[in-house]
Amino acid sequence: MLSKPRYASYITVVSTLLAIALLSGCGTEPAGTAPAGRGELPDAPAAVNASGGNNSQEAAVFAQWEDSTGKQVVLHKKPERIVVLNPEYLDLLYSVGGQAVGRTDTPDIQPPKGAEQAVSVGQMSSLSLEQLVALKPDLVIGHPQFHSSLQEALAASGIPLALMRLNSYEDIIRQTQLMGKLAGTEPHATELLAALDGRLQQLLSKLPAETKTFAMMNVTPASISLQRSDTTGLEIAKLLKLTNVAETLTPSQKSPTTTPYSLEKLVELDPDYIFIVIHGSKDTGERKIKSDLQSNPAWSSLRAVKEGRMIIAPSSLFLTNPGLKLDESVLYMGKLVYPEIYGHAD
């Protein structure tokens, strides 16, 4: 967890890099520096390294980057027919002024303004490969959890596939720069990042010295779990200096970012706040909360439940990464935890 001075240093470095990028026309630093840790800004991604070397092969590369699976993605020209299967990246692409020819549908998540015109190739978790290929994309952006199985078929058709996650603030910085490169709007992308940084600085400068504990729960139609690491909701809580009581628990074998739900363990940890994030239909999720959580008398013994600090958090703010609207999610959680500072949530 960051101390206040260290976080301030982190934000300052973010601001400095963005200012340099604005002055240099979104120029980038060379790739290959040491991985960034908390408190320092990550280097700009290799994707924004435009051609310009003396080597003819290098000059033919428009963009090159490593996706979330560690695979190198190479584009030899600016993509003109992008299909985005990951709703977080669809929002990011349109935020910087880009467009897609294809997308997926996701329950309870509306496509960004303008993206309604893009052809839907199905649900995020069950799309039509035939429809996807028929769009003749020159780049497909998917999610590692849902779209890894497309790699062989798309490679056979000569279609580049980038499997991308978007979890942290560092990810937002890097991938906004990448989307700006792909859309041809790099200066605009940098301006948007600078504006986001300013809004975050204003919000986080008000944080008190105290810290509070929380647990963030996933509720799906089939299961309940606790978020452990590397999720959008946890990143937002970390920015607000909240301590995740599940962080040190044993990870699930199937999903290392989570740990299996145990009411006995949760009662033992007894966090100040419990945030519940519903995956899928809200009605289905609320029924599962009543049947699997609230029906157990021990659930009512939790301090957060007794004191009215068990909150069903909006999936649109804490499940899907808010991208350049990160400050809206931070403000919402800030209102829940520190209403005396940020006001009360609607």
Side-chain angles (χ1 to χ4, degrees), residues 11 22 44 75 124 153 172 199 208 226 228 264-265 327 342:
I11 285 290
L22 281 168
L75 301 180
M124 182 180 178
I172 293 171
R199 297 193 301 272
L226 293 175
R228 217 185 125 264
E264 181 180 3
K265 190 65 178 178
D327 58 301
Y342 298 106

Side-chain angles (χ1 to χ4, degrees), residues 151-164:
Q151 292 183 85
E152 186 175 342
L154 293 182
S157 299
I159 300 171
L161 171 65
L163 297 170
M164 309 288 287

Side-chain angles (χ1 to χ4, degrees), residues 241-262:
K241 301 201 308 178
L242 304 179
T243 300
N244 178 19
V245 297
E247 186 173 11
T248 60
L249 299 182
T250 303
S252 168
Q253 290 185 345
K254 291 184 178 180
S255 176
T257 63
T258 69
T259 187
Y261 166 64
S262 163

Side-chain angles (χ1 to χ4, degrees), residues 118-305:
V119 176
S120 172
V121 296
Q123 297 293 317
M124 182 180 178
S125 57
S126 58
L127 56 85
S128 166
L129 178 61
E130 183 179 1
Q131 285 184 294
L132 172 58
V133 174
L135 290 173
K136 298 181 180 179
D138 46 15
L139 174 64
V140 175
I141 300 174
H143 191 287
Q145 181 178 346
F146 299 100
H147 307 124
S148 294
S149 61
L150 299 176
Q151 292 183 85
E152 186 175 342
L154 293 182
S157 299
I159 300 171
L161 171 65
L163 297 170
M164 309 288 287
R165 289 189 175 90
L166 194 66
N167 292 330
S168 67
Y169 184 30
E170 290 94 333
D171 289 342
I172 293 171
I173 294 169
R174 289 172 182 246
Q175 305 313 336
T176 298
Q177 292 171 332
L178 170 56
M179 293 299 106
K181 172 68 178 175
L182 299 180
T185 59
E186 292 168 275
H188 181 51
T190 302
E191 290 171 0
L192 291 172
L193 284 171
L196 171 61
D197 174 61
R199 297 193 301 272
L200 283 174
Q201 285 193 62
Q202 185 176 16
L203 287 173
L204 299 176
S205 65
K206 302 175 183 178
L207 282 175
E210 66 177 304
T211 185
K212 296 184 180 182
T213 62
F214 75 99
M216 188 164 288
M217 304 179 68
N218 293 325
V219 172
T220 76
S223 66
I224 296 176
S225 61
L226 293 175
Q227 294 187 15
R228 217 185 125 264
S229 63
D230 300 323
T231 71
T232 294
L234 296 184
E235 175 71 5
I236 293 162
K238 184 185 292 184
L239 289 173
L240 288 165
K241 301 201 308 178
L242 304 179
T243 300
N244 178 19
V245 297
E247 186 173 11
T248 60
L249 299 182
T250 303
S252 168
Q253 290 185 345
K254 291 184 178 180
S255 176
T257 63
T258 69
T259 187
Y261 166 64
S262 163
L263 179 55
E264 181 180 3
K265 190 65 178 178
L266 193 59
V267 169
E268 176 189 332
L269 295 170
D270 201 21
D272 295 320
Y273 286 83
I274 296 175
F275 301 109
I276 298 179
V277 181
I278 295 174
H279 297 238
S281 165
K282 183 178 179 181
D283 290 341
T284 302
E286 289 179 344
R287 286 196 297 270
K288 191 165 186 68
I289 291 169
K290 288 180 181 178
S291 63
D292 291 25
L293 299 179
Q294 295 173 338
S295 64
N296 191 323
W299 176 258
S300 300
S301 70
L302 287 161
R303 186 161 45 92
V305 175

